[in-house]
Amino acid sequence: MSCYTAHIVCFTWKCLMINTLSNLGYCRIGKENYMIMKRTLFLISMLCTVMISLQGHAQVQNQQALLEAYRNGTLSQAEIEGMTGGENAMADVDRSRIVRSEAGEETANAGQQIGGGGSSRIFGHDLFTNSKLTFEPNLSIATPDNYVLGPGDEVIIDVWGDAQSSANFTISPDGRIQIPNVGPVTLSGLSISEATRRVRSSLAAIYEGLHDGSVKMKLSLGSIRSIQVNLTGEVGASGTYTLPSLATLFHALHVAGGVNDLGTMRNIQVYRGGKLFSQVDVYDYILNGKTDKDIALRDGDLITVSAYGKLVQITGEVKRPRFYEMKQNETIADLLRFAGDFTSEANRNIISVTRRQGGEYKSFTVENSKFASFNLEDGDVLSVSGSLDRYENRVEIRGAVYRGGHYAIDENTKTLKQLIARADGLREDAFMGRALLYREKADWTSEMKSVDLEGLMSGKVADIELRPNDVFVVSTITGLREEYTVSIYGHVGNPDTYPYAENMTVEDLLVAAGGLLESASTANVTITRRIKDTKSMNVKDELLETFTIDVKDNLVVDGKSGFVLQPFDQVLVRRSPVYVPQSRVTVQGEVAFAGSYPISHRNMRMSEIIEAAGKTTPAAYVKGAYLLREMTEEEQMQNQALQKMISKQAMSGKDSLNLGGAEQALMARTYVVGINLQGAIDNPGSDADLILRDGDVIVVPEYNGTVRVMGSVLYPNSITYKEGKNLKYYAKASGGFDNQARKGKSFVIHMNGMVESGMSAKVLPGSIIIVPTRRIKEPVNWTDIVGVISSTASTAAMMISVINLSK
């Protein structure tokens, strides 16, 4: 058994045990027994893990010993496979050899180094594998005059004029056609123009008009024959291919799968009749558009693609960085032409060349004057670096000038004053006391010089000559201080922070803030101001200066200057004490005039609203009246805090806080307030006479003569109300308590929202009785526990045996 298999067995066993514990359940076996079994399973799991780790360590040491034997030649690959169980084990040894190979050891062959991501990285190799570029001959065009006829071609001979005839002839294997009344005519090996002259000469014996022009004749090609060509060498698939007689060299290479990673593109050879017919350089076709390189093939031609002679790579700032095949005596200049020349970011002065000679690498730095004479060798790697982020005659000016930016050092811009003039001069907000000149030293580190800008512009300070890469910064007056703002809060249209402006008044800020709201008070506007003393050495008890002002109507100052603000002032506009938005309450149910009523004065109570609604009707059940109230923002914040506490309690797994359905109640935006409306009507102004607030809804229901029983009773039901009967009576009327009922925790919800608990709780018409259910705890099943322990021990023993057998 391998170390990986043992780990899988151990993991499966752990999952099985965890599943068993889950099936038994925490509640079924009890907390103490559950923890004992959990610790037992953990100890057994740790034992198995340690044994598997020891076995894996032994396997690693054994594999390292085999690897050393393989490297030293003591054991062959076949012997190792016999000792370790086949090719998979030997693959592990090989994998270890590759992973642990010393730094610098090359594990990839030349083809992998060149191809990397495939042959398309070698320039031109994708020409013949492109499915959209097949070089397939067009058989529907007119036959070219230089087409050479051969056996199998069909020719059409048309005669018109004083004599007319048309006939099709197929060239026989011996190269002839048989013309009636003329005899055999040999056409094989002749071009179309040559065959036309020969047939005209033969037909002149029977058509004398061919001499004086009264009879005309034309020979054209009908269907063409097929030819066979052979492709060998470094192509995708060597072999004999049957092609149309109009096929060309490039079409044949496409059909054969193109040139492989080792094949040449610069010297493809075509043999015809046993002799070298043509040597084709495909780069001439790709780069120079020489279509004559795509020669027409003949039957029996042999195409040979040999291995490349030199393959070099160029990287960096050229337009086509990749591998290129080079001929003898070709130079860097030729390679740059192949690669599309430099990019705009390239350093055109030098190119770095890395060459491998024997077992070492050698580096060359070639200057541009030697590009045309430096011959390249197979395996050379050329690197074209980018240009430096430096300028030989550029400076920059920033800040409080009209046209900041980059400028060239030239005849008109040599000094600092000339640079300022070139930028259309200084702005009015320029800080004249000091400007900064950042300058690059000879070692490329930076230095900074301060410039008396006022003295420079007045001529009191000598002008400064510019250097390349200088950066001149002119600060603004406002840029040398923190941003000045003022703020306004309270009852305005847009309370916010606004930019400070000199001579800004409170009225100006009110206009910027969208004016006063209707609720605003203009008689008690407060301004707070920072205490500023830059030279103070002591701490003061007073933190702020405070001003209280009256704002004029319509924000008009009546000819007098308003309160002038200073930077960072804060303005607070309070609400008018007499301004109160309209509030209302709603009365529903059994009153004379149900509807909405205004809260006309402070501390308005329920008895007053019922009085305004025309009092209750005879059908009203006043004791069951209840009040619905919307939550304020403060109450909603309290609910959110309670929800977070409930969530944390649930995540901790503790059950000390049992809120039941409290979470749903906390999410609601309205809640029921338990009231005593009868007491409020009988004793106005008493504690029972609740003070109302905006949005309250008072509901006065009709009399409900039933009592509803819910929870752990045998038959939950609605029972007719009987005065004086207690909770036990209604539970008995619903079939009595069931075995799981928690009688002592029963409670009664009255129609008015009040709740009473316990068996002595009073029951009123329309009340709801809730009988909670006791939580069931299953008894401990010792048979299940013994079975689990026995199964665990058996599994552990089986795994130990398996591990021992695998050693």
Side-chain angles (χ1 to χ4, degrees):
M1 174 185 283
S2 69
C3 181
Y4 304 107
T5 307
H7 275 291
I8 293 172
V9 172
C10 182
F11 176 76
T12 305
W13 176 78
K14 287 181 182 179
C15 294
L16 177 63
M17 293 301 101
I18 292 171
N19 185 51
T20 304
L21 274 179
S22 300
N23 291 335
L24 285 176
Y26 179 86
C27 296
R28 294 182 62 188
I29 65 177
K31 180 177 180 181
E32 185 175 350
N33 296 322
Y34 181 88
M35 295 305 296
I36 291 173
M37 292 189 64
K38 187 174 180 181
R39 292 190 187 101
T40 303
L41 293 177
F42 176 77
L43 291 174
I44 295 173
S45 299
M46 288 296 296
L47 177 62
C48 293
T49 303
V50 169
M51 295 181 68
I52 290 170
S53 299
L54 291 174
Q55 181 197 10
H57 180 68
Q59 286 183 351
V60 170
Q61 288 184 331
N62 184 40
Q63 190 179 69
Q64 288 178 346
L66 291 174
L67 176 60
E68 286 298 323
Y70 179 80
R71 286 176 173 174
N72 298 333
T74 306
L75 293 176
S76 65
Q77 177 174 340
E79 291 173 332
I80 293 176
E81 291 177 356
M83 295 172 62
T84 55
E87 296 180 357
N88 291 336
M90 186 58 207
D92 292 337
V93 174
D94 286 342
R95 192 180 304 112
S96 299
R97 176 173 61 85
I98 294 173
V99 171
R100 294 174 175 82
S101 61
E102 298 179 356
E105 179 180 350
E106 297 197 17
T107 57
N109 58 36
Q112 290 173 326
Q113 290 177 346
I114 293 169
S119 62
S120 61
R121 290 194 60 197
I122 304 175
F123 179 71
H125 273 212
D126 56 352
L127 179 67
F128 302 120
T129 56
N130 187 347
S131 60
K132 297 181 179 180
L133 189 63
T134 65
F135 299 99
E136 186 175 358
N138 187 354
L139 304 181
S140 62
I141 63 174
T143 307
D145 287 341
N146 61 352
Y147 175 78
V148 179
L149 296 171
D153 281 338
E154 181 187 42
V155 294
I156 303 171
I157 300 175
D158 293 312
V159 178
W160 71 93
D162 290 345
Q164 296 183 2
S165 68
S166 179
N168 296 4
F169 303 95
T170 301
I171 300 176
S172 63
D174 60 0
R176 301 177 180 179
I177 61 172
Q178 189 73 27
I179 302 176
N181 301 321
V182 174
V185 179
T186 301
L187 298 182
S188 180
L190 301 180
S191 65
I192 293 293
S193 58
E194 293 172 340
T196 299
R197 289 194 295 270
R198 179 169 292 185
V199 171
R200 179 181 286 108
S201 175
S202 299
L203 290 178
I206 58 174
Y207 296 109
E208 292 195 10
L210 288 172
H211 296 290
D212 58 14
S214 59
V215 176
K216 299 184 181 300
M217 186 276 296
K218 180 181 179 181
L219 183 143
S220 59
L221 189 66
S223 60
I224 63 174
R225 70 187 186 278
S226 297
I227 62 174
Q228 285 187 336
V229 295
N230 299 310
L231 285 94
T232 61
E234 305 300 335
V235 293
S238 301
T240 300
Y241 292 88
T242 301
L243 305 173
S245 58
L246 291 175
T248 62
L249 170 63
F250 291 173
H251 176 58
L253 288 170
H254 174 80
V255 172
V259 177
N260 65 25
D261 289 349
L262 299 179
T264 180
M265 295 286 287
R266 309 295 306 278
N267 187 24
I268 299 175
Q269 298 177 340
V270 179
Y271 290 87
R272 183 169 295 168
K275 297 180 180 180
L276 180 62
F277 175 74
S278 178
Q279 291 178 302
V280 178
D281 184 351
V282 181
Y283 279 17
D284 274 346
Y285 173 83
I286 298 174
L287 299 173
N288 304 322
K290 294 184 178 181
T291 57
D292 60 327
K293 300 299 180 181
D294 189 13
I295 63 174
L297 297 177
R298 300 278 182 89
D299 189 38
D301 281 354
L302 171 63
I303 302 170
T304 300
V305 179
S306 58
Y308 64 80
K310 296 180 181 179
L311 198 65
V312 301
Q313 183 184 12
I314 185 167
T315 62
E317 298 299 330
V318 291
K319 295 175 182 175
R320 284 193 295 265
R322 59 181 63 185
F323 288 88
Y324 291 88
E325 184 183 348
M326 308 298 292
K327 286 185 176 181
Q328 193 70 24
N329 298 326
E330 285 187 329
T331 63
I332 292 178
D334 298 316
L335 179 60
L336 287 173
R337 180 170 55 87
F338 295 160
D341 213 341
F342 295 107
T343 65
S344 60
E345 298 293 328
N347 178 11
R348 299 169 179 262
N349 296 322
I350 59 172
I351 291 179
S352 177
V353 180
T354 301
R355 176 174 296 170
R356 183 162 186 170
Q357 294 181 337
E360 296 181 343
Y361 289 96
K362 188 174 182 180
S363 180
F364 300 89
T365 301
V366 184
E367 298 179 355
N368 56 4
S369 60
K370 298 182 180 179
F371 287 173
S373 60
F374 189 91
N375 291 333
L376 297 172
E377 298 294 337
D378 185 30
D380 283 355
V381 178
L382 287 75
S383 177
V384 180
S385 61
S387 58
L388 298 176
D389 189 17
R390 289 170 57 84
Y391 295 85
E392 59 183 25
N393 67 333
R394 192 179 78 165
V395 293
E396 182 182 2
I397 185 170
R398 304 176 189 166
V401 293
Y402 283 102
R403 297 186 184 276
H406 295 93
Y407 293 90
I409 301 176
D410 53 23
E411 293 297 325
N412 299 320
T413 310
K414 293 182 178 181
T415 65
L416 204 53
K417 286 184 69 174
Q418 290 176 335
L419 176 61
I420 295 173
R422 193 75 177 269
D424 285 352
L426 299 170
R427 295 202 312 250
E428 288 75 8
D429 61 342
F431 179 68
M432 304 298 291
R434 181 184 295 260
L436 302 178
L437 178 62
Y438 294 91
R439 174 157 287 178
E440 198 175 75
K441 296 196 298 184
D443 59 355
W444 288 24
T445 59
S446 297
E447 64 176 342
M448 185 183 68
K449 291 186 176 183
S450 61
V451 179
D452 181 359
L453 193 56
E454 185 174 4
L456 177 70
M457 300 306 293
S458 63
K460 296 180 181 179
V461 175
D463 203 353
I464 300 173
E465 186 176 352
L466 294 173
R467 295 181 186 175
N469 298 307
D470 278 354
V471 178
F472 187 56
V473 180
V474 180
S475 300
T476 62
I477 297 174
T478 57
L480 296 177
R481 70 186 185 196
E482 59 182 313
E483 183 181 1
Y484 286 172
T485 60
V486 288
S487 302
I488 186 167
Y489 305 101
H491 291 254
V492 293
N494 300 299
D496 204 346
T497 298
Y498 294 88
Y500 169 78
E502 194 171 349
N503 297 324
M504 175 184 280
T505 64
V506 172
E507 290 83 353
D508 297 332
L509 181 58
L510 288 171
V511 172
L516 296 169
L517 300 180
E518 284 190 353
S519 59
S521 171
T522 61
N524 188 18
V525 177
T526 302
I527 299 98
T528 59
R529 178 170 295 166
R530 298 178 182 179
I531 298 175
K532 306 168 187 175
D533 187 356
T534 58
K535 298 181 180 180
S536 176
M537 300 293 291
N538 300 315
V539 178
K540 295 183 179 180
D541 292 335
E542 187 180 5
L543 300 179
L544 299 169
E545 291 185 85
T546 304
F547 308 91
T548 302
I549 64 169
D550 295 341
V551 178
K552 304 298 182 181
D553 294 338
N554 297 324
L555 307 182
V556 176
V557 190
D558 294 334
K560 298 180 181 180
S561 59
F563 187 91
V564 179
L565 297 173
Q566 292 186 9
F568 307 112
D569 280 357
Q570 293 185 352
V571 179
L572 176 60
V573 180
R574 297 182 177 86
R575 184 177 61 84
S576 173
V578 299
Y579 182 86
V580 178
Q582 292 91 332
S583 302
R584 62 186 180 86
V585 295
T586 303
V587 183
Q588 298 178 355
E590 297 301 318
V591 292
F593 301 100
S596 296
Y597 292 87
I599 299 177
S600 57
H601 61 84
R602 297 181 186 277
N603 299 328
M604 193 170 186
R605 298 179 180 268
M606 290 192 299
S607 59
E608 297 177 80
I609 293 296
I610 295 299
E611 184 72 23
K615 301 183 179 180
T616 60
T617 65
Y621 180 54
V622 180
K623 290 184 179 180
Y626 59 92
L627 185 144
L628 295 176
R629 175 161 288 177
E630 296 180 355
M631 288 188 181
T632 62
E633 292 184 3
E634 292 78 8
E635 290 172 335
Q636 291 179 13
M637 292 175 62
Q638 292 176 356
N639 279 3
Q640 291 175 1
L642 286 172
Q643 289 178 16
K644 291 180 179 179
M645 182 179 69
I646 293 172
S647 300
K648 290 181 179 179
Q649 194 78 6
M651 292 175 63
S652 65
K654 299 178 181 179
D655 55 358
S656 58
L657 181 62
N658 185 9
L659 296 179
E663 286 191 77
Q664 293 183 354
L666 292 175
M667 294 176 64
R669 290 290 178 264
T670 60
Y671 58 95
V672 178
V673 179
I675 61 174
N676 183 3
L677 184 59
Q678 188 64 58
I681 295 173
D682 294 341
N683 299 293
S686 64
D687 291 340
D689 197 6
L690 190 69
I691 296 175
L692 299 173
R693 71 187 192 196
D694 185 31
D696 282 351
V697 178
I698 301 173
V699 181
V700 182
E702 293 181 341
Y703 178 81
N704 184 357
T706 63
V707 175
R708 189 175 180 185
V709 184
M710 302 174 64
S712 292
V713 293
L714 295 179
Y715 187 69
N717 199 1
S718 294
I719 311 299
T720 302
Y721 172 75
K722 286 191 176 182
E723 187 175 0
K725 297 297 181 179
N726 59 12
L727 186 150
K728 190 173 182 180
Y729 165 80
Y730 293 102
K732 187 176 181 181
S734 299
F737 298 105
D738 63 20
N739 293 333
Q740 306 300 327
R742 303 183 68 181
K743 302 177 185 179
K745 298 295 183 180
S746 300
F747 58 94
V748 179
I749 304 174
H750 300 301
M751 289 183 67
N752 63 354
M754 298 290 190
V755 179
E756 294 186 56
S757 62
M759 295 296 292
S760 61
K762 188 177 182 180
V763 181
L764 298 174
S767 296
I768 300 175
I769 299 173
I770 306 294
V771 182
T773 301
R774 190 185 309 277
R775 184 177 180 181
I776 301 174
K777 183 176 181 181
E778 296 186 13
V780 175
N781 190 338
W782 288 102
T783 303
D784 292 345
I785 295 175
V786 172
V788 170
I789 295 175
S790 176
S791 175
T792 302
S794 300
T795 304
M798 179 190 68
M799 291 186 64
I800 292 171
S801 299
V802 170
I803 292 172
N804 289 332
L805 289 173
S806 64
K807 290 182 177 178

